[in-house]
Amino acid sequence: GFFQSSAVEVDIKDASNATCLYADWMMRFLITYESNNGDYKTTTLNLSSSVTHNGSVCGNDTQAALVAVQFGEGHSWSINITKNNETYQGDFITLTYNTNDTAVFPDAKRKGPVTVLVKDPLHPVQLNTVFVCHNSYFIEAENTTQIFWNVTVQAFVQNGTVSKKESRCPADTPTSAPTVPPTIANVTTAFTTTLSPAPTTAPKPVENPDTGNYSLKSGNKTCFLATVGLQLNVSQDKPLLININPKTTVADGTCGNTTATLKLNDGNSTLIGF
């Protein structure tokens, strides 16, 4: 059916053929895009029955683990996972959807791959513990809603055996059962009842943000350059204005042949990706 989505299972082995990273989960994406006639439409991107995990790596004390999956007509999703002495935690989630896939985006005005970068909101998990979340949870960013459920993940697996000790997500309770896979209808209802309405008029900024110069290098050449002042206007119960301070903001990211990603971290839990 239209809302059916396939499960993903990734079992990454190390050099000795022992499991070092295990993940089994279900996910789908709600994406709002502009059509050829200027209207905005919301479509559902489901996993196909054929999913690859090229590029996934175990990680170690100095290198992040990576779960990377590819599916459908040029779509991909990945999460890098870091660890410290006692815990591991998801870092950035990267979704790339391809509007050339006419089955999902039949009349998209913009053609080609679109990449969305978002910080993983979940809390750290103790090492030698498997993270489990049966109930669905949502991550919103840049006209997309990522929906996950029936999640089982353990990074940095010890001795090749997935732990029986579980860390459960806040959405789960001791008596909760796996939820019905969400649809556009019940996702809309959930957000309608939990999110506060945006203010009718945007607050006037107290001051203009300082202009920052951010750049990335590939070897000895600059591959990404941005000169920009950034101010975030966050609609909550009370509107919140955040100026990004270039003096405390660190630029990071990657450059490729066809895609470049700039990540800005202001040191106060504000992360922006271009």
Side-chain angles (χ1 to χ4, degrees):
F2 182 69
F3 291 109
Q4 186 172 356
S5 189
S6 300
V8 186
E9 184 178 28
V10 177
D11 188 350
I12 307 301
K13 309 287 187 180
D14 61 18
S16 62
N17 202 35
T19 296
C20 60
L21 189 157
Y22 178 82
D24 187 359
W25 75 102
M26 300 189 75
M27 64 181 176
R28 71 163 52 91
F29 312 97
L30 304 182
I31 301 171
T32 300
Y33 69 98
E34 185 178 4
S35 66
N36 287 319
N37 61 11
D39 294 334
Y40 284 86
K41 299 181 178 180
T42 298
T43 187
T44 302
L45 175 61
N46 292 310
L47 294 178
S48 61
S49 57
S50 176
V51 179
T52 59
H53 54 82
N54 299 325
S56 298
V57 295
C58 295
N60 51 43
D61 290 339
T62 59
Q63 180 186 12
L66 178 68
V67 179
V69 296
Q70 304 83 35
F71 58 98
E73 300 296 325
H75 312 296
S76 63
W77 180 92
S78 67
I79 180 171
N80 61 323
I81 305 170
T82 58
K83 78 167 181 173
N84 60 27
N85 293 332
E86 299 179 351
T87 63
Y88 65 91
Q89 182 177 18
D91 188 8
F92 282 98
I93 295 173
T94 304
L95 165 66
T96 297
Y97 59 91
N98 185 7
T99 58
N100 285 324
D101 184 350
T102 55
V104 181
F105 307 95
D107 55 351
K109 182 177 181 179
R110 176 181 177 180
K111 298 295 185 182
V114 180
T115 298
V116 176
L117 184 73
V118 62
K119 180 72 173 178
D120 183 6
L122 297 180
H123 297 299
V125 178
Q126 291 291 318
L127 291 173
N128 200 31
T129 302
V130 60
F131 172 77
V132 176
C133 191
H134 290 311
N135 286 277
S136 57
Y137 61 94
F138 314 88
I139 301 175
E140 285 191 302
E142 301 179 36
N143 298 323
T144 67
T145 300
Q146 303 185 38
I147 308 166
F148 307 89
W149 70 101
N150 288 349
V151 177
T152 301
V153 177
Q154 185 179 352
F156 308 101
V157 176
Q158 300 176 13
N159 302 319
T161 303
V162 176
S163 175
K164 296 186 181 300
K165 181 180 178 181
E166 293 184 353
S167 173
R168 301 298 287 264
C169 66
D172 284 3
T173 65
T175 57
S176 65
T179 56
V180 176
T183 67
I184 288 179
N186 60 36
V187 168
T188 302
T189 301
F191 279 105
T192 301
T193 56
T194 58
L195 293 183
S196 301
T200 55
T201 58
K204 296 180 179 179
V206 176
E207 60 183 14
N208 290 328
D210 293 333
T211 300
N213 295 300
Y214 310 103
S215 63
L216 298 177
K217 288 187 177 294
S218 179
N220 60 357
K221 294 182 178 180
T222 298
C223 61
F224 197 123
L225 178 64
T227 301
V228 61
L230 293 169
Q231 183 180 82
L232 307 182
N233 182 343
V234 184
S235 296
Q236 301 179 344
D237 293 333
K238 295 182 179 180
L240 174 65
L241 292 177
I242 302 172
N243 281 349
I244 303 301
N245 184 357
K247 296 179 180 179
T248 59
T249 298
V250 178
D252 191 11
T254 57
C255 291
N257 292 331
T258 59
T259 303
T261 300
L262 175 68
K263 296 182 289 185
L264 301 180
N265 186 340
D266 77 340
N268 293 310
S269 300
T270 302
L271 299 159
I272 305 174
F274 296 92

